[in-house]
Amino acid sequence: MHLAEKKTVSLSFRQSEYVYDRALEVIPMGASTFSRNPHLFVIGASPLYIDSARGCRVRDVDGNEFIDYSMALSIIFLGYAEPRVSAAAKAAIDDGLIFTLSCPQESILARTIVDLVPCAEMVRFCKNGSDSCEGAVRLARRHTGKLKVMTVGGYHGFHDWYIASTARREGVPPAMAEWVLPHAYNDIDAVERTIRTQAGEIAALIMEPVINIEPRPGFLERIRELTLRHNIVLIFDEMKTGFRLSIGGAQAFFGVVPDLAVFGKALSNGFPLSALVGKRELMRQFEDENCFLSASYATEKASIAAALKTLEILEGEPVLEHVWSMGERLKVGIVERIERHHLTASLKIIGFAPMTHFVISETAGFTVAQIRSFIQQESVRRGVLFVGYNHTSYAHGPADIEYTLDVYDEVFALLSRRLADGMLADRIEGRTISSFGVRGIS
Ligand SMILES: Cc1ncc(COP(=O)(O)O)c(C=O)c1O
């Protein structure tokens, strides 16, 4: 069905709910990825499981179709099921997929990344961001002989060294928290204070170069200066910014070159692959077999072939220009509509064009979760899968953006009305989004 025909259609999510109920019996929380958990969606008024996807559209298990702006948690950059990437991966599967020894494409891909990414002199592949970040921290600790790691607001996976500093640390030895020093993004004074007082113990500073908001002028440069001066390894976690802000990542975009960096997501357009890259002097520590990073599936050929094809397309076609231009059009259009419907106190959109985020504020006694749920429900009803951020892709065209802006025009008008008449909570037809908990528990 064409999206435009769906504007007033009331959608069924019965199959999504059925799958959820069944999944809960065998999968804690109903999904293995935190950000794909049904409780982050308005259960009953939103899709919970996706069956297939193509371009910038996803089709849920009830057969409903939506324009997607999460793009599989920022993983899909060229579009779902990009035929050339799929063909390259399929050929690799037919070759046997994974072997007793590495395949030659592994080093071809490493060389391609070295050519594109400023800090990359050598590369090691893993399957996910958590492992690559863990590897980076290990290199920094061995290189400096120090133990503590500073973080600056980002997310770096589920491993103990990092998660010990968060609320999600159940099951992690409390002692791990002694070695991780969290800081807020853009708070250069706090970063400076820690370095001034503890530099002798700090092995690494790991950060996402951009976390939703832009870095304050000089923030990244100052961090680079301080880490260099105090023998602290600077690690950029570019899982989200990599290849998205520019083909050389945030480090090329800002001209601030870290010592190590982690890439994934856009790298292989959906195939499971991450890369830990960096200065030769640091990376070569892995040549000592007792400085260890290894993964059985790291050299699986389909993902490597997919990454090679993805990078070829990124280099050969105006992908970055397109993504920036679509993202900018969307951002400007959303700002206009927020203003048109007098929602500036409740809603903002922030961030660079290829990765913008909605910031929702409590308004008129309604919580952020309620407002978010209402926007999601009404957007979904009109064919847009609102998730609170927009990671546009090469597959989003001008017509998709215009359609989405028309949807937001209607949704924001409704939101404005419901905030004014105090009926917002009554109009949420599904279960209000919760940050945690499964049906019947929270
Ligand atoms: C910036 C960043 N670092 C690390 C990770 C962890 O990656 P993974 O879930 O592949 O282990 C993520 C995942 O979303 C991420 O966004």
Side-chain angles (χ1 to χ4, degrees):
M1 193 191 301
H2 191 271
L3 282 169
E5 295 169 31
K6 302 180 95 177
K7 277 200 164 189
T8 53
V9 171
S10 161
L11 304 179
S12 163
F13 299 107
R14 234 173 268 145
Q15 190 62 19
S16 260
E17 289 187 66
Y18 174 76
V19 174
Y20 183 40
D21 285 338
R22 302 287 291 163
L24 278 177
E25 292 165 12
V26 286
I27 300 177
M29 293 208 291
S32 298
T33 308
F34 183 82
S35 300
R36 294 191 176 95
N37 254 287
H39 65 256
L40 298 172
F41 294 78
V42 203
I43 296 168
S46 158
L48 306 179
Y49 295 90
I50 302 293
D51 205 34
S52 64
R54 201 160 289 275
C56 66
R57 287 174 169 72
V58 294
R59 182 178 287 266
D60 73 7
V61 289
D62 288 277
N64 306 307
E65 196 178 291
F66 306 94
I67 301 178
D68 189 12
Y69 284 96
S70 166
M71 299 307 281
L73 316 178
S74 198
I75 284 172
I76 303 293
F77 193 49
L78 298 177
Y80 288 105
E82 207 293 330
R84 294 164 291 178
V85 176
S86 297
K90 281 176 192 160
I93 291 169
D94 290 341
D95 286 344
L97 186 61
I98 189 158
F99 317 112
T100 308
L101 299 169
S102 287
C103 60
Q105 287 77 12
E106 182 188 357
S107 57
I108 297 172
L109 179 59
R111 206 170 286 279
T112 308
I113 294 172
V114 165
D115 288 342
L116 292 174
V117 174
C119 84
E121 292 173 359
M122 297 188 97
V123 181
R124 282 291 293 266
F125 294 107
C126 295
K127 279 289 156 207
N128 60 58
S130 303
D131 289 355
S132 289
C133 287
E134 167 99 41
V137 165
R138 194 165 291 178
L139 286 179
R141 284 177 165 156
R142 184 179 189 271
H143 178 74
T144 59
K146 300 186 273 185
L147 288 179
K148 290 188 179 171
V149 177
M150 294 174 71
T151 61
V152 189
Y155 172 69
H156 306 295
F158 80 99
H159 288 189
D160 284 3
W161 73 265
Y162 160 71
I163 217 76
S165 69
T166 73
R168 297 184 176 136
R169 60 176 174 264
E170 294 294 324
V172 175
M176 298 297 294
E178 288 171 29
W179 294 309
V180 54
L181 311 170
H183 297 76
Y185 188 73
N186 266 336
D187 187 350
I188 195 62
D189 292 341
V191 168
E192 292 218 34
R193 257 195 315 276
T194 302
I195 293 182
R196 212 179 314 120
T197 53
Q198 302 186 56
E201 296 174 88
I202 299 168
L205 185 153
I206 184 168
M207 64 185 299
E208 290 185 67
V210 175
I211 312 171
N212 308 343
I213 42 170
E214 292 95 342
R216 290 211 180 103
F219 180 63
L220 297 174
E221 290 80 357
R222 182 75 181 134
I223 284 181
R224 177 64 286 191
E225 207 177 293
L226 288 164
T227 48
L228 270 176
R229 189 181 316 150
H230 293 280
N231 184 32
I232 295 168
V233 174
L234 178 59
I235 306 164
F236 276 179
D237 179 348
E238 297 229 41
M239 285 291 287
K240 285 202 288 240
T241 52
F243 308 105
R244 174 172 285 279
L245 277 190
S246 87
I247 194 161
Q251 53 193 275
F253 184 75
F254 293 110
V256 176
V257 181
D259 303 302
L260 296 171
V262 169
F263 290 86
K265 304 218 180 209
L267 167 64
S268 42
N269 202 52
F271 288 82
L273 191 69
S274 67
L276 162 56
V277 312
K279 303 268 165 65
R280 190 176 299 277
E281 181 193 4
L282 283 155
M283 295 293 292
R284 285 196 68 188
Q285 294 179 100
F286 287 139
E287 289 171 0
D288 173 351
E289 67 176 280
N290 294 325
C291 182
F292 201 63
L293 174 69
S294 182
S296 303
Y297 295 101
T299 67
E300 164 268 305
K301 194 175 169 184
S303 298
I304 291 175
L308 278 167
K309 185 52 75 179
T310 300
L311 295 183
E312 185 189 312
I313 296 170
L314 285 182
E315 282 191 279
E317 297 181 20
V319 178
L320 269 298
E321 290 91 318
H322 181 86
V323 170
W324 272 87
S325 130
M326 290 304 110
E328 189 62 32
R329 212 154 149 162
L330 184 64
K331 185 177 181 183
V332 168
I334 288 172
V335 169
E336 272 170 24
R337 281 150 187 82
I338 289 173
E339 285 169 3
R340 184 180 304 157
H341 298 292
H342 313 290
L343 286 167
T344 48
S346 319
L347 212 51
K348 280 190 187 58
I349 181 129
I350 58 165
F352 289 109
M355 42 196 304
T356 55
H357 280 246
F358 286 93
V359 179
I360 300 171
S361 304
E362 215 175 276
T363 311
F366 295 110
T367 64
V368 172
Q370 286 173 322
I371 297 172
R372 192 183 171 86
S373 301
F374 184 81
I375 299 173
Q376 185 176 79
Q377 166 186 295
E378 296 304 324
S379 302
V380 155
R381 182 169 275 159
R382 292 164 174 79
V384 171
L385 186 53
F386 169 90
V387 286
Y389 57 89
N390 309 298
H391 284 189
T392 40
S393 76
Y394 197 31
H396 287 88
D400 303 309
I401 303 299
E402 289 316 311
Y403 180 85
T404 304
L405 290 173
D406 284 350
V407 165
Y408 284 144
D409 207 35
E410 289 184 20
V411 173
F412 293 172
L414 275 179
L415 174 64
S416 197
R417 215 172 306 148
R418 298 289 84 99
L419 288 171
D421 68 13
M423 295 296 287
L424 185 123
D426 302 277
R427 298 300 166 94
I428 298 172
E429 290 165 22
R431 197 189 114 165
T432 300
I433 291 168
S434 64
S435 66
F436 192 79
V438 295
R439 170 185 280 182
I441 292 181
S442 71

